[in-house]
């Protein structure tokens, strides 16, 4: 017997309707490339997104068509987030930091019919356009007239919006309709497309809003530093609208100085970003102090936030750090770290140890850890295993690819490619990616643990640890270390002595190299593929 409750479709337009009705007067601020600030409300967003959806339908865009976006975090990109799915099409965000060939590959693979381009990125986009054939129309936003360009078929965004109607009825009734798409950045192979549905994104939004997750409310002012081209800006554009939180969109101003200014000027309560951003902001406010005390949650993820940085933010600046873990394939939120009642008696330092973990799965997500044979492993806080997940906002297949055993188990779990431990009370800690673990004589050494310890050394700015081939042990750790600028006193003996306090002798790196910067991917993560190519002659790339 079925329950007797309404089959109310969980579609993204419902979120926008709610924002318009209840929080219509709340502000969305955008920093424009010319340095001025654009200000409007959720009611304005609603009206313009609806017109955009209407205009796209009139021009023949069908349910399921993919439309690309190439831009910064700003109000127009917010409109695209709602207007494109609002007419039933798929909002396919393109990563502006990839090489032209990669973006072109992704556009062709997705078969994008239209690409919306931020005018300030036009020159960056031109070489990409030269390599694609599926795009019928380019739509330019952020300018009043079409500048000189090599792009064919260019339309102004404002002209398109003017074609739309205010009373357009949202057409999507099936909540399983695709609404968004994001390709993985390819740190582990060819870019692969994750295709989100209205239902999955709606449920992810509810998941984000849980008090045990991001706990966003109508009292918040959010600064999403995570780009809208990276996993839907971690879902903030939807969560903020459903909760009625105000937004300050940074546009192209992602440098530490402007970000610290925005926090201070707008009394920001929630920020989201990868650790490298927060390391930069920390160094900035050491030099030029700003008031960051309005922040109630500095949400950080994408790669591990070093414990030393958590201690710096909480101990020195009084800013609460919330460590989260997720993946493009998970919309992205999987786990988030909050202290619980059982941590009450802990010392400050022990609490920071907890906060350095990636936390507990948010309600809706299930986790398990398994060994190489797929056998479940105990949650004892020490046993490392491969992390597998399932839930309503986890992919079941990549776009245009059959589900492979490499990514999915036969009993319906997604294989994350991460290695972690679980405590008995459900706190997850990433120890590595399966590809980055150092397998030395049958034992596993976590490259992340070594990196965290190295970065805690006062003269170290960055450190990345990779496996190098070894005849006897098969693999051994090598550390690439970046000294703090102007520090020449750093030497291998010091580093070995520093690490010996935390690691068994057999775990210590066999080799150290000093470099000026760790190579990074388009999303700011360490690019160990590049280091491996450089230091192992491609043998372990
Ligand atoms: P990719 O880097 O492959 O493009 P994503 O951007 O989706 O993919 O990143 C997902 C991966 O980032 C996770 O599988 C994990 O390895 C890493 N990651 C995300 N958050 C954290 C975190 N808080 N700590 C450690 N690693 C993290």
């Amino acid at each position: 017997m079925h329950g007797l409750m309404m089959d109310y479709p969980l579609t993204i337009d419902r979120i926008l309707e709610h924002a318009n009705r209840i929080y219509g007067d709340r502000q969305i601020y955008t920093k424009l490339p010319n340095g001025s600030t654009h200000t409007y409300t959720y009611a304005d967003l609603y009206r313009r997104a609806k017109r955009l959806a209407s205009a796209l339908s009139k021009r023949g865009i069908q349910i399921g068509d993919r439309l690309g976006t190439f831009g910064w975090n700003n109000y127009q990109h917010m409109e695209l987030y709602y207007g494109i799915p609002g007419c039933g099409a798929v909002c396919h965000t393109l990563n502006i930091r990839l090489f032209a060939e990669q973006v072109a590959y992704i556009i062709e693979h997705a078969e994008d019919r239209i690409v919306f381009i931020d005018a300030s990125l036009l020159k960056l986009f031109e070489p990409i356009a030269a390599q694609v054939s599926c795009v019928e129309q380019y739509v330019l936003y952020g300018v009043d007239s079409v500048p000189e360009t090599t792009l064919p078929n260019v339309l102004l965004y404002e002209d398109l919006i003017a074609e739309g109607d205010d009373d357009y009825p949202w057409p999507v009734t099936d909540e399983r309709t695709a609404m968004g798409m994001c390709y993985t950045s390819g740190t582990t192979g060819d870019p692969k497309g994750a295709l989100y549905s209205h239902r999955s994104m709606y449920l992810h939004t509810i998941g984000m809003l849980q008090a045990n997750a991001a706990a966003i409310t109508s009292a918040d002012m959010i600064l999403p530093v995570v780009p809208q081209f990276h996993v839907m800006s971690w879902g903030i554009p939807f969560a903020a609208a459903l909760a009625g939180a105000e937004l300050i969109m940074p546009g192209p101003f992602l440098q530490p100085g402007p970000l610290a200014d925005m926090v201070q000027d707008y009394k920001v309560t929630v920020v989201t970003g990868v650790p490298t951003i927060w390391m930069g902001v920390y160094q900035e406010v050491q030099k030029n102090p700003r008031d960051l005390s309005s922040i109630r949650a500095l949400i950080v993820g994408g790669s591990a936030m070093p414990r030393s940085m958590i201690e710096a933010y909480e101990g020195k600046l009084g800013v609460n750090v919330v460590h989260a873990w997720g993946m493009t394939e998970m919309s992205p939120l999987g786990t988030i770290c909050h202290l619980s009642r059982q941590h009450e008696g802990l010392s400050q330092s022990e609490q920071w140890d907890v906060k350095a973990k990636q936390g507990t799965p948010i309600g809706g997500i299930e986790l398990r850890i398994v060994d190489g044979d797929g056998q479940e492993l105990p949650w004892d806080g020490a046993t490392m295993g491969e992390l597998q997940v399932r839930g309503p906002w986890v992919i079941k297949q990549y776009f245009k690819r059959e589900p492979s055993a490499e990514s999915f188990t036969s009993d319906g779990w997604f294989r994350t490619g991460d290695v972690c431990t679980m405590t008995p009370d459900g706190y997850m800690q990433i120890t590595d990616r399966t590809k980055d673990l150092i397998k030395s004589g049958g034992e596993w050494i976590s490259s992340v643990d070594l990196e965290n310890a190295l970065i805690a050394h006062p003269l170290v700015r960055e450190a990345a640890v990779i496996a190098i081939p070894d005849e006897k042990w098969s693999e051994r750790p090598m550390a690439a270390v970046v000294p703090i600028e102007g520090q020449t006193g750093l030497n291998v003996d010091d580093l070995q002595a520093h690490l010996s306090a935390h690691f068994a002798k057999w775990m210590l790196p066999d080799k150290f190299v000093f470099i000026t910067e760790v190579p990074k991917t388009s999303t700011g993560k360490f690019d160990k593929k590049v280091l491996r190519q450089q230091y192992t002659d491609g043998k372990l790339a």
Side-chain angles (χ1 to χ4, degrees):
M1 185 163 71
H2 284 168
L4 294 175
M5 308 308 283
M6 293 182 184
D7 283 322
Y8 176 94
L10 305 178
T11 53
I12 289 308
D13 49 84
R14 299 293 96 203
I15 295 179
L16 192 58
E17 287 287 342
H18 181 74
N20 177 51
R21 174 51 77 103
I22 310 298
Y23 308 116
D25 60 345
R26 300 299 161 92
Q27 310 282 329
I28 299 170
Y29 303 93
T30 296
K31 289 290 171 197
L32 299 176
N34 67 10
S36 66
T37 306
H38 175 276
T39 307
Y40 79 172
T41 63
Y42 276 110
D44 296 318
L45 167 65
Y46 174 80
R47 194 172 38 82
R48 284 169 56 84
K50 200 166 219 202
R51 284 182 162 223
L52 171 63
S54 160
L56 290 170
S57 290
K58 282 187 186 179
R59 282 184 169 253
I61 294 300
Q62 304 288 321
I63 290 187
D65 283 346
R66 274 82 63 201
L67 311 187
T69 67
F70 195 77
W72 303 108
N73 291 9
N74 55 25
Y75 72 96
Q76 296 103 327
H77 215 161
M78 285 292 287
E79 292 161 9
L80 295 165
Y81 262 47
Y82 285 99
I84 295 175
C87 76
V90 177
C91 179
H92 174 204
T93 55
L94 298 164
N95 186 339
I96 66 170
R97 301 214 177 98
L98 296 179
F99 292 120
E101 300 77 60
Q102 284 174 302
V103 185
Y105 166 87
I106 288 169
I107 292 175
E108 287 286 308
H109 190 265
E111 298 171 82
D112 292 334
R113 289 187 63 189
I114 298 180
V115 178
F116 294 83
I117 302 160
D118 191 317
S120 64
L121 298 169
L122 181 58
K123 288 288 159 235
L124 192 63
F125 195 82
E126 283 176 348
I128 299 168
Q131 301 175 47
V132 299
S133 57
C134 57
V135 179
E136 298 156 34
Q137 180 94 61
Y138 292 102
V139 180
L140 209 55
Y141 58 90
V143 274
D144 299 331
S145 58
V146 179
E148 208 181 292
T149 175
T150 56
L151 292 194
N153 304 330
V154 179
L155 177 68
L156 284 177
Y157 180 69
E158 293 302 327
D159 291 345
L160 179 65
I161 292 212
E163 292 173 11
D165 299 328
D166 286 328
D167 59 355
Y168 173 76
W170 303 115
V172 179
T173 50
D174 180 351
E175 64 183 16
R176 289 164 304 174
T177 305
M179 60 70 61
M181 177 145 71
C182 187
Y183 278 68
T184 61
S185 59
T187 37
T188 50
D190 260 352
K192 296 189 280 282
L195 185 62
Y196 313 119
S197 66
H198 281 261
R199 174 190 152 82
S200 71
M201 197 49 76
Y202 193 108
L203 291 171
H204 179 263
T205 305
I206 303 269
M208 287 272 295
L209 295 184
Q210 293 174 49
N212 262 340
I216 291 164
T217 74
S218 53
D220 281 315
M221 165 64 82
I222 309 179
L223 169 62
V225 183
V226 175
Q228 286 188 266
F229 57 76
H230 192 213
V231 215
M232 307 241 98
S233 193
W234 294 356
I236 291 292
F238 303 117
L242 195 59
E246 299 201 319
L247 287 166
I248 162 76
M249 304 301 268
F253 300 102
L254 300 178
Q255 310 75 12
L259 291 177
D261 286 341
M262 280 178 241
V263 171
Q264 177 170 272
D265 297 348
Y266 291 83
K267 301 205 169 23
V268 166
T269 59
V270 175
V271 289
T272 56
V274 293
T276 25
I277 294 273
W278 305 123
M279 291 179 202
V281 169
Y282 183 76
Q283 278 157 12
E284 166 69 24
V285 298
Q286 294 304 297
K287 279 185 265 156
N288 304 305
R290 314 289 207 299
D291 182 5
L292 305 186
S293 64
S294 56
I295 299 178
R296 67 159 187 81
L298 182 140
I299 304 178
V300 59
S303 48
M305 179 71 156
R307 186 194 177 284
S308 51
M309 263 291 122
I310 297 176
E311 187 174 336
Y313 267 96
E314 299 215 340
K316 298 221 173 78
L317 302 178
V319 168
N320 175 41
V321 176
V322 179
H323 198 183
W325 166 86
M327 302 182 74
T328 305
E329 291 88 338
M330 299 179 71
S331 312
L333 197 57
T335 67
I336 198 156
C337 194
H338 292 288
L339 296 176
S340 307
R341 278 178 83 79
Q342 74 264 30
H343 302 121
E344 264 169 20
L346 297 185
S347 68
Q348 179 80 85
S349 171
E350 288 165 332
Q351 291 190 351
W352 286 329
D353 289 341
V354 177
K355 288 194 146 198
K357 296 181 195 291
Q358 283 74 8
T360 50
I362 63 171
I365 291 294
E366 277 184 75
L367 308 182
R368 71 179 183 190
I369 49 174
V370 302
D371 65 14
D373 300 324
Q375 293 304 311
E376 265 209 63
L377 292 168
W379 290 19
D380 56 12
T383 308
M384 281 192 239
E386 182 199 327
L387 177 59
Q388 301 185 342
V389 294
R390 65 178 179 188
W393 55 86
V394 179
I395 61 161
K396 61 177 180 190
Q397 186 178 342
Y398 289 102
F399 185 57
K400 289 198 203 161
R401 278 175 191 249
E402 286 307 312
S404 68
E406 195 195 343
S407 302
F408 301 93
T409 66
S410 53
D411 60 345
W413 293 68
F414 174 66
R415 303 179 62 179
T416 64
D418 286 328
V419 178
C420 70
T421 58
M422 296 293 304
T423 62
D425 50 0
Y427 280 72
M428 188 271 278
Q429 181 153 31
I430 299 275
T431 45
D432 231 321
R433 279 193 149 186
T434 36
K435 293 206 157 101
D436 293 340
L437 265 183
I438 298 134
K439 292 154 199 127
S440 170
E443 295 292 338
W444 288 1
I445 304 174
S446 157
S447 66
V448 175
D449 285 353
L450 285 169
E451 286 161 9
N452 281 339
L454 283 167
I455 206 159
H457 188 285
L459 300 184
V460 173
R461 184 158 70 86
E462 282 181 339
V465 174
I466 57 166
I468 47 172
D470 184 273
E471 258 179 37
K472 185 164 173 205
W473 304 107
S474 125
E475 291 178 12
R476 292 291 303 150
M478 181 202 95
V481 177
V482 182
I484 284 182
E485 243 165 279
Q487 298 290 348
T488 46
L490 199 57
N491 64 51
V492 173
D493 291 343
D494 277 356
L495 289 173
Q496 291 282 29
H498 171 76
L499 291 177
S500 302
H502 310 281
F503 295 91
K505 198 153 179 281
W506 64 271
M507 291 179 159
L508 299 181
D510 281 7
K511 186 174 166 188
F512 286 83
V513 293
F514 293 98
I515 57 177
T516 51
E517 188 170 354
V518 176
K520 311 260 177 2
T521 69
S522 60
T523 50
K525 300 180 197 198
F526 287 176
D527 198 341
K528 296 197 185 177
K529 214 157 62 172
V530 172
L531 281 179
R532 279 193 282 262
Q533 249 144 15
Q534 218 168 332
Y535 292 101
T536 69
D537 294 332
K539 279 193 201 104
L540 288 175

